[in-house]
Amino acid sequence: MVRPSDLSFLYQYILGGIVFFAGLVCIVKSRALDHKSNSGRRWLLISLGVLLFYLLLQGLFQFVLSKL
Amino acid sequence: MGTNLDFAILIFYFVGILAFGTFFQKYTKTTKDFFLAGQRFSWWLIAFSCVATLVGSYSFVKYSTAAYNNGISSTMSYLNDWPWFALLLFGWLPILYFSRVRSIPEYLERRFDRRTRIAATVIILIYMVGYIGINFFTLGVALRPILNWPVMHIVIVIAVIAAVYVTAGGQTAVIMTDLAQGVILILAGLVVFFLGIKALGGFSAFWSHLPQSHKVAFAQPVKPASFNSIGVFWQDGMANSAAFWFMNQGIILRLLSARSVKDGRKALVAVFLVMMPLATLCVCGAGWIGRALVNAGLLPTNVDPKNIFVAVTHLLAGPGLFGLILAALSAALMSTADTLINATSVVFVNDIWRPLVKPNRPDRYYLKVARISSVAAALTGVILVPVYMGFKGIYQAHAAFTAAITPPMVVTIMLGAFWKRYTPQGAFWTLTGGFAAMLVSMAVPVIIVPFSHGMEAGGSYLQAHTYMRALYGLMVSAAIGVSVSLLAKRRKVSPTLLCGDEKRKMREFKGAPINEKPGARLRLILKGSSVESESPVAFVSSDTLRALAANPGDLIYVSDTRWWTGGLRSFHARVALGETEPGTVEVPDSVMKGAGMIHGQTVLVEKEM
């Protein structure tokens, strides 16, 4: 069953994700980050890792631990 | 409340911080040292010192209350900064670092015009000086039950301590004391949390004593009006988080004190992945534990949520430990106050005194003014305390002012950094028009309703739609900025001031082509020379130059070999070919002494760009 707070999770990650990815596209298109270099690719991965970290951390509490 | 041991620990903390902060006076010889700590610190030091800034003055009380009332969802405010991560690391940080700006108003003048700078300076100074006073007042009220002194006496003692070490050591003292205060904060937060877990009989028992509704990471979308996830997302995640990372003068100075953009980025990664979750646990932990203790029958059910932090720590911590926790509470306030005092002096010197009152004076003159203005900022904060004591709604008034200035400032900075077409007219009207629109929304809150997502107002005037006022402010400010800019004539903008090609920014920063050839990191013997130059120059032999893969004129970084000094003993210089012995690096005596180094010591030398 979907709880109201589950919708909050979706709301934050959809809208926050739009801001995050719009930012990422903006910096890659403006060449603020050179995604063709090794260092640029590493930083891109780190950025996605940060997003994934929060997604998993909050997802863990929202969908797993809250049901224990 | 509290024993003599607690009292002694608190006194030891204040004396220790004063002595520790003042020690760094010897590293402050120029305004660059005073404002930006010489741009020499390692990422881990910056990251740690950021904890004390992340944990604001009333975070412990505010978030433990929210945690007691709402459970794990109280973490929303701390864990919703990630949408800004990429724009901050790759867009904003290089702009700040490579354009050599020292304050937001300075950026606004270079990007737009002087009137935008003046408008921003006035807004920021009112905000910061008012906030210093609130910090002093809050700390005075918090420590009164322990010390049994009148609030004003406590405030004066605290103000003198903060003013002395900030005036002496500038940003270096702020960073180093915040490093110590960050450690105390984390230690105290973790101690309270783990003592609580132990008292409850383990993590499973703690978890089972939390109500089911307190275990979710998010609150309900729009209900209640006082705490809901959509409101927190817009007010905290979008407006306040952007303000914290993009316009908070304290954070900007902290990031600019990193030895390089790369170290600034590493510091931010550590902050987002480690420090933020840790800070969240520290400020919310007492509230979660408090709720579980009440449900387990270990705390009375009628405990006041606003006092839950003190109630929990008093129950769990024995003599001595309670003193440490009070020291942590003081650290949260002191670290905010010292950051604000330093930031106020930066804005005053950089945006008022230097450009408008006494331009073209030697650097040592501005350093003197910076020191005097630090004292003046602390003094003004003290003078404001009696005013605040007679004004019951001071916290609400300050929150309302912050809410009114945040969206227009955030929109101005964001559009300025990321939209080339944004014009000076657009920026000025975003600031003034956006601020006016926010004031109107406080008088006529009904105009926020179209943005409210169906949320109840939750109060009248200032108290109405407190969350969704942020969304309204962001939208109205952006609409003003975009429409005025599109109607105005295009203007050429320096690429350094816009998000864009980083290599170009580096080239302009260096004033010559950048050298990206990988070179070795060498251990060399440092030698001082009496030859002085306008900017620091380091002479090395041709063999050393080759090993560094450097060309004359390249920027190098010279640091102490002990990693744990965190860059405190280090400096940047331009490398030059000299008649020096192989294995040595020769720099002017003043540079060597300014970095706290001595003739003949071994140093690490590496090429920066």
Side-chain angles (χ1 to χ4, degrees):
Chain A
M1 198 183 83
V2 177
R3 298 166 295 183
S5 62
D6 295 342
L7 298 175
S8 302
F9 178 90
L10 286 177
Y11 187 92
Q12 168 156 316
Y13 277 91
I14 290 171
L15 289 191
I18 290 172
V19 174
F20 181 88
F21 282 105
L24 217 50
V25 169
C26 167
I27 57 149
V28 170
K29 276 186 81 173
S30 65
R31 290 190 293 159
L33 185 69
D34 177 14
H35 66 290
K36 286 175 188 158
S37 69
N38 282 339
S39 145
R41 272 198 293 270
R42 196 163 52 239
W43 279 114
L44 262 179
L45 277 177
I46 290 170
S47 304
L48 294 173
V50 167
L51 167 61
L52 197 65
F53 170 77
Y54 281 96
L55 185 81
L56 292 177
L57 181 70
Q58 291 189 297
L60 178 74
F61 277 99
Q62 183 65 32
F63 299 109
V64 182
L65 294 179
S66 67
K67 291 175 182 167
L68 295 179
Chain B
M1 197 182 281
T3 61
N4 285 343
L5 182 61
D6 298 320
F7 183 78
I9 286 175
L10 206 56
I11 298 296
F12 178 75
Y13 157 77
F14 279 116
V15 174
I17 284 293
L18 175 65
F20 188 56
T22 314
F23 170 77
F24 297 100
Q25 180 171 17
K26 63 181 180 181
Y27 293 96
T28 304
K29 305 267 190 262
T30 64
T31 51
K32 189 180 171 189
D33 296 332
F34 193 84
F35 297 151
L36 309 175
Q39 296 196 308
R40 59 182 167 214
F41 286 112
S42 299
W43 64 270
W44 60 267
L45 213 146
I46 304 282
F48 246 100
S49 74
C50 276
V51 172
T53 311
L54 283 169
V55 178
S57 51
Y58 28 86
S59 297
F60 272 110
V61 175
K62 182 181 165 187
Y63 288 101
S64 55
T65 305
Y68 179 81
N69 288 331
N70 307 295
I72 304 296
S73 60
S74 58
T75 59
M76 286 190 305
S77 305
Y78 264 88
L79 302 181
N80 60 11
D81 293 23
W82 57 266
W84 301 111
F85 184 79
L87 286 172
L88 174 65
L89 258 73
F90 310 110
W92 189 228
L93 184 59
I95 292 175
L96 289 175
Y97 204 93
F98 293 129
S99 66
R100 299 176 196 271
V101 295
R102 291 178 179 191
S103 67
I104 289 296
E106 184 187 353
Y107 171 76
L108 294 178
E109 175 165 3
R110 286 176 57 187
R111 172 69 177 86
F112 305 114
D113 54 16
R114 178 154 283 197
R115 64 176 182 165
T116 310
R117 180 185 198 163
I118 292 170
T121 304
V122 171
I123 289 171
I124 288 174
L125 277 181
I126 292 174
Y127 165 73
M128 288 199 301
V129 173
Y131 200 15
I132 293 170
I134 285 188
N135 268 281
F136 287 157
F137 176 54
T138 310
L139 194 48
V141 171
L143 294 183
R144 187 176 46 185
I146 320 295
L147 299 174
N148 275 327
W149 296 356
V151 170
M152 263 324 274
H153 291 188
I154 300 172
V155 166
I156 289 168
V157 171
I158 293 160
V160 168
I161 292 171
V164 166
Y165 75 74
V166 174
T167 303
Q171 184 65 220
T172 305
V174 173
I175 287 177
M176 299 309 277
T177 52
D178 280 10
L179 173 73
Q181 315 213 72
V183 171
I184 296 172
L185 283 173
I186 289 179
L187 201 66
L190 293 180
V191 163
V192 170
F193 185 72
F194 287 110
L195 281 179
I197 297 286
K198 195 178 160 213
L200 286 158
F203 189 82
S204 300
F206 156 69
W207 198 247
S208 66
H209 279 117
L210 285 181
Q212 211 58 31
S213 60
H214 278 220
K215 294 178 181 174
V216 286
F218 287 87
Q220 296 205 18
V222 292
K223 283 181 183 170
S226 58
F227 188 75
N228 58 70
S229 66
I230 290 179
V232 171
F233 174 78
W234 283 106
Q235 190 208 41
D236 212 90
M238 292 293 107
N240 291 356
S241 294
F244 184 79
W245 293 110
F246 290 79
M247 67 170 243
N248 181 316
Q249 189 66 37
I251 280 292
I252 286 171
L253 294 174
R254 200 63 52 86
L255 293 176
L256 288 180
S257 58
R259 59 169 271 203
S260 63
V261 168
K262 193 176 166 192
D263 268 55
R265 283 181 180 145
K266 282 184 180 175
L268 285 168
V269 172
V271 166
F272 273 76
L273 290 181
V274 183
M275 299 305 170
M276 297 268 276
L278 259 182
T280 313
L281 177 63
C282 292
V283 296
C284 297
W288 303 329
I289 294 292
R291 173 61 72 176
L293 288 171
V294 166
N295 287 353
L298 297 171
L299 264 182
T301 48
N302 62 350
V303 62
D304 181 1
K306 282 183 184 162
N307 291 331
I308 194 68
F309 179 79
V310 175
V312 167
T313 51
H314 203 237
L315 177 78
L316 298 174
L321 212 49
F322 188 57
L324 173 76
I325 290 158
L326 289 173
L329 200 64
S330 310
L333 290 147
M334 282 286 278
S335 58
T336 309
D338 64 17
T339 302
L340 284 165
I341 291 171
N342 184 256
T344 305
S345 81
V346 174
V347 173
F348 180 75
V349 174
N350 206 48
D351 300 301
I352 295 178
W353 203 260
R354 198 195 304 249
L356 302 174
V357 183
K358 299 266 181 189
N360 306 319
R361 294 294 180 100
D363 190 68
R364 63 176 184 282
Y365 169 80
Y366 294 117
L367 180 62
K368 201 168 138 191
V369 178
R371 290 198 152 120
I372 294 169
S373 56
S374 292
V375 175
L379 191 65
T380 314
V382 173
I383 291 168
L384 286 174
V385 171
V387 181
Y388 293 164
M389 285 164 82
F391 183 21
K392 277 188 180 167
I394 183 60
Y395 288 107
Q396 286 90 335
H398 182 256
F401 183 74
T402 309
I405 62 165
T406 301
M409 283 291 289
V410 163
V411 170
T412 307
I413 293 167
M414 289 292 175
L415 290 178
F418 299 103
W419 189 39
K420 198 176 169 183
R421 181 72 178 80
Y422 195 39
T423 62
Q425 293 90 333
F428 182 75
W429 285 107
T430 305
L431 271 184
T432 50
F435 185 59
M438 291 302 280
L439 294 181
V440 170
S441 79
M442 288 170 188
V444 193
V446 73
I447 59 175
I448 304 173
V449 170
F451 302 90
S452 69
H453 288 58
M455 227 172 272
E456 284 172 12
S460 53
Y461 300 108
L462 294 183
Q463 311 295 333
H465 295 293
T466 47
Y467 284 130
M468 300 316 283
R469 181 171 286 128
L471 174 59
Y472 156 84
L474 291 171
M475 292 299 167
V476 171
S477 302
I480 294 172
V482 170
S483 49
V484 173
S485 291
L486 290 175
L487 291 171
K489 207 174 150 193
R490 274 176 193 271
R491 206 181 80 150
K492 215 173 168 192
V493 187
S494 161
T496 319
L497 301 170
L498 285 166
C499 173
D501 192 347
E502 188 161 320
K503 293 206 170 114
R504 184 176 180 165
K505 285 191 175 65
M506 289 165 82
R507 221 164 34 233
E508 283 179 23
F509 176 78
K510 186 182 169 190
I514 52 171
N515 176 357
E516 292 187 292
K517 231 187 304 173
R521 192 178 188 215
L522 303 176
R523 276 172 178 265
L524 303 174
I525 303 294
L526 184 68
K527 287 192 166 182
S529 83
S530 53
V531 181
E532 293 293 335
S533 59
E534 221 169 85
S535 61
V537 177
F539 292 97
V540 295
S541 68
S542 55
D543 287 347
T544 305
L545 207 57
R546 209 171 306 120
L548 288 168
N551 300 317
D554 284 350
L555 288 175
I556 58 167
Y557 178 68
V558 180
S559 60
D560 196 294
T561 49
R562 294 163 294 180
W563 68 269
W564 50 265
T565 56
L568 177 65
R569 291 179 175 179
S570 68
F571 59 88
H572 290 273
R574 283 187 190 273
V575 70
L577 189 60
E579 289 173 3
T580 55
E581 293 166 37
T584 63
V585 54
E586 195 176 300
V587 299
D589 279 331
S590 59
V591 173
M592 189 175 71
K593 285 179 187 157
M597 292 175 163
I598 52 167
H599 185 86
Q601 83 167 88
T602 307
V603 289
L604 285 173
V605 179
E606 58 196 299
K607 186 185 66 195
E608 286 273 334
M609 62 171 84

